[in-house]
Amino acid sequence: MTNRVQIIPKFFRISRDIVAEIQSGRLTTGSQAPSENEIIEKYKVSNTTARKALQEIEREGWVTRIKGKGTYVLNNKVERSVTRILGFTANMREANRVPASKLLSLNVLQDDYPLTINRRQYILKGPLCRIHRLRFADQTPMMIEKRYISLHFCPDIQKLDLEGSLYEIYEKKYGLRLTQVDQMVSAVMMGVDEMVHFGLKQAVPAFRVEGITFCGRELILEMEDSLYRGDQYRFTVKATR
Amino acid sequence: MTNRVQIIPKFFRISRDIVAEIQSGRLTTGSQAPSENEIIEKYKVSNTTARKALQEIEREGWVTRIKGKGTYVLNNKVERSVTRILGFTANMREANRVPASKLLSLNVLQDDYPLTINRRQYILKGPLCRIHRLRFADQTPMMIEKRYISLHFCPDIQKLDLEGSLYEIYEKKYGLRLTQVDQMVSAVMMGVDEMVHFGLKQAVPAFRVEGITFCGRELILEMEDSLYRGDQYRFTVKATR
């Protein structure tokens, strides 16, 4: 896909159509994906092409094929690699979802903000800008976040449009390079406030992510306290020596 | 602490005593840690030493000091770095907890075992050994795991004592080098079976970890499906570029 001049093979185009159906929620978890015969009829392709399309989406983990039964749609959670510095916006774009944000509140605070992370206490020096946002993918609320941003590094950030990617603002508007994010992840039940924000009638398990973003050695740019819906997210990570 | 001949400073010994109280649960979350005066009296030390002991446990994240109020014990969860290959046994030793295991069941299976992880399907070739274990720290049940171990790489492993560290068995008995663990982490509620195993009256949120352990490029040694108690664990991870 890096060479944009190349013609995308037919089976791959078909596989994208099916993935789009899954991502939009029109094909739900546990439902049957189109069969080989349905693909042959709809797209006027050979059975080889139809089979390759189904193999492709199976290889990518969207569906599972059960011999003699059919092809079933798997749980479609957004995957988030936790070892890469990756904003919500970029993560959604990678997952082919349309990101959006709703600013719930914004305050400028004079006090320092402390956070103990990985058994070490850090202090973000005031003044700082606290923002509370709800983040969406294709109109589904996915996570809710509080961010505490240093006004030393980002003067007047509270006057900008804060409904998009903060990481882009840090990098493009303030010329900051994010060097490391130290994160602590807990498994929690969401509270009543979050249920309301997420539009859920029942609480679901969630990931709570507390983090510190550095823009240089020991230079704290921001701190975060976010809640990722457990029914919408899966975190991925590779461990090595 | 690497040079074992060196004399451990007094403040550090005192800090270990307090940490032991927290780890054992005798000092609970939110309760007051000993004050400087109590330390001075109990250990017959200077106020400098007492202060350094409290600073040490604060620095390590066990307690937080609130000006004019006192020193409060923080939530004492085991931290698990998810980017390092780290068995339960080694993780517990690092946390100064005593690990133990209870083998719940053991089977030898002839069939292959499939697992889709990070959108890619892997197959562990049979025959394999499936073990189901409950893991303890200081007698508290912490996590429950199912592991599927290749009998090609570990012939007759089912005949060994499997109540200790599997990673040690892989490395010392079979001479295998674990090169990578690909993991997928979900936030879930534990089921009734797990509540019973954990001795809990109410379900709590948990981390479900599905993983594949490689012992060389594309060589699958084992697969795991584990449940870590959310009230006992916190996962830590550093993200970089």
Side-chain angles (χ1 to χ4, degrees):
Chain A
M1 298 297 289
T2 44
N3 179 359
R4 298 202 164 252
V5 185
Q6 107 190 359
I7 290 159
I8 297 167
K10 232 178 234 174
F11 82 89
F12 194 78
R13 280 186 196 275
I14 298 169
S15 74
R16 290 315 90 185
D17 274 9
I18 303 171
V19 166
E21 292 286 301
I22 298 171
Q23 286 185 322
S24 69
R26 285 188 295 272
L27 273 176
T28 55
T29 306
S31 69
Q32 287 234 15
S35 67
E36 265 183 46
N37 285 336
E38 286 166 346
I39 293 172
I40 292 166
E41 234 175 79
K42 181 169 173 191
Y43 293 95
K44 315 289 175 210
V45 293
S46 68
N47 56 3
T48 311
T49 301
R51 196 173 313 124
K52 279 176 82 176
L54 289 175
Q55 280 167 349
E56 178 61 27
I57 58 171
E58 183 176 30
R59 200 187 58 75
E60 294 176 21
W62 296 101
V63 298
T64 184
R65 295 213 278 180
I66 300 171
K67 272 177 201 158
K69 293 226 167 175
T71 303
Y72 293 87
V73 176
L74 292 171
N75 192 339
N76 170 32
K77 290 183 179 178
V78 168
E79 297 195 342
R80 180 171 176 81
S81 161
V82 284
T83 45
R84 266 196 311 151
I85 295 180
L86 182 69
F88 177 87
T89 306
N91 190 199
M92 287 306 123
R93 283 187 192 136
E94 281 183 8
N96 287 314
R97 313 274 290 249
V98 180
S101 298
K102 186 179 163 190
L103 190 62
L104 301 173
S105 73
L106 182 153
N107 308 85
V108 171
L109 307 172
Q110 298 306 318
D111 284 351
D112 298 348
Y113 185 78
L115 182 61
T116 295
I117 204 152
N118 305 350
R119 301 225 176 276
R120 220 190 119 178
Q121 185 166 12
Y122 294 90
I123 289 171
L124 179 64
K125 285 275 167 212
L128 49 91
C129 174
R130 179 179 65 191
I131 68 172
H132 192 191
R133 303 195 298 179
L134 189 58
R135 318 288 311 255
F136 299 83
D138 301 332
Q139 272 117 61
T140 303
M142 302 288 286
M143 70 96 131
I144 194 162
E145 63 180 353
K146 287 200 191 93
R147 284 185 181 267
Y148 303 83
I149 306 159
S150 164
L151 286 174
H152 297 286
F153 286 113
C154 303
D156 287 333
I157 194 171
Q158 73 276 13
K159 295 178 186 162
L160 303 181
D161 170 13
L162 299 179
E163 301 233 325
S165 165
L166 283 178
Y167 281 10
E168 276 179 35
I169 292 177
Y170 299 151
E171 301 200 328
K172 291 185 184 151
K173 165 87 186 155
Y174 294 101
L176 297 164
R177 188 176 157 75
L178 314 186
T179 50
Q180 185 166 310
V181 184
D182 284 14
Q183 302 164 95
M184 198 160 69
V185 182
S186 313
V188 299
M189 282 306 281
M190 62 178 59
V192 174
D193 281 0
E194 285 110 15
M195 269 170 58
V196 172
H197 283 305
F198 289 137
L200 294 172
K201 296 217 171 77
Q202 259 194 304
V204 299
F207 294 104
R208 181 177 177 194
V209 176
E210 293 161 276
I212 299 183
T213 306
F214 296 91
C215 57
R217 200 173 141 67
E218 306 278 308
L219 299 176
I220 302 174
L221 168 58
E222 55 145 39
M223 292 182 174
E224 82 169 288
D225 190 349
S226 303
L227 201 80
Y228 288 76
R229 284 172 62 171
D231 59 340
Q232 294 287 345
Y233 268 99
R234 240 192 320 244
F235 286 4
T236 64
V237 55
K238 283 184 211 289
T240 51
R241 297 212 155 253
Chain B
M1 297 298 288
T2 46
N3 178 0
R4 296 200 168 255
V5 185
Q6 109 189 0
I7 289 160
I8 297 166
K10 233 178 233 173
F11 83 87
F12 194 77
R13 281 186 196 274
I14 298 169
S15 74
R16 289 316 90 184
D17 274 9
I18 303 170
V19 167
E21 292 286 301
I22 299 171
Q23 286 184 322
S24 68
R26 285 188 296 272
L27 273 176
T28 55
T29 305
S31 69
Q32 286 234 16
S35 67
E36 264 183 47
N37 285 336
E38 285 165 347
I39 293 172
I40 291 166
E41 234 174 79
K42 182 171 173 191
Y43 294 95
K44 316 290 175 207
V45 292
S46 68
N47 56 4
T48 311
T49 302
R51 195 172 315 124
K52 278 176 83 176
L54 289 176
Q55 281 168 348
E56 178 61 27
I57 58 171
E58 183 175 30
R59 201 187 57 77
E60 293 175 20
W62 295 101
V63 298
T64 184
R65 295 213 278 179
I66 300 171
K67 271 178 203 158
K69 294 227 168 173
T71 303
Y72 293 87
V73 175
L74 293 171
N75 193 338
N76 170 32
K77 290 183 178 176
V78 169
E79 297 195 340
R80 180 173 175 79
S81 162
V82 286
T83 46
R84 266 196 311 151
I85 295 180
L86 182 68
F88 178 86
T89 307
N91 191 197
M92 287 306 124
R93 282 188 192 136
E94 281 184 9
N96 287 315
R97 313 273 292 246
V98 180
S101 297
K102 186 180 162 189
L103 191 61
L104 301 172
S105 73
L106 183 152
N107 308 85
V108 170
L109 307 172
Q110 297 306 317
D111 283 351
D112 298 347
Y113 185 78
L115 183 61
T116 296
I117 203 150
N118 304 350
R119 300 224 178 278
R120 218 188 121 180
Q121 185 165 14
Y122 295 91
I123 290 171
L124 178 64
K125 284 276 168 212
L128 50 91
C129 174
R130 179 179 65 192
I131 68 171
H132 193 191
R133 303 195 299 179
L134 189 58
R135 318 288 312 257
F136 298 83
D138 301 331
Q139 272 117 60
T140 303
M142 302 288 287
M143 71 96 130
I144 194 163
E145 63 180 354
K146 287 201 192 90
R147 285 186 181 267
Y148 303 82
I149 307 160
S150 165
L151 287 173
H152 298 285
F153 284 114
C154 303
D156 287 333
I157 194 171
Q158 74 276 13
K159 295 178 184 159
L160 302 181
D161 169 14
L162 298 179
E163 301 234 325
S165 165
L166 283 178
Y167 281 11
E168 276 179 35
I169 292 177
Y170 298 152
E171 301 200 327
K172 292 185 185 151
K173 165 88 186 155
Y174 294 102
L176 297 164
R177 189 177 154 74
L178 314 186
T179 51
Q180 185 166 310
V181 184
D182 284 15
Q183 302 163 97
M184 198 160 69
V185 182
S186 314
V188 299
M189 281 307 280
M190 62 177 60
V192 175
D193 282 359
E194 285 111 16
M195 270 171 58
V196 172
H197 283 304
F198 289 138
L200 294 171
K201 297 217 171 78
Q202 258 194 306
V204 299
F207 295 105
R208 181 178 177 193
V209 177
E210 294 162 276
I212 300 182
T213 307
F214 297 91
C215 58
R217 201 173 140 67
E218 306 278 309
L219 299 176
I220 303 173
L221 168 57
E222 54 145 41
M223 292 181 173
E224 82 169 286
D225 190 348
S226 304
L227 201 80
Y228 287 77
R229 283 172 62 170
D231 59 340
Q232 294 288 345
Y233 269 99
R234 240 191 320 244
F235 287 3
T236 64
V237 55
K238 282 184 211 288
T240 52
R241 297 213 153 253

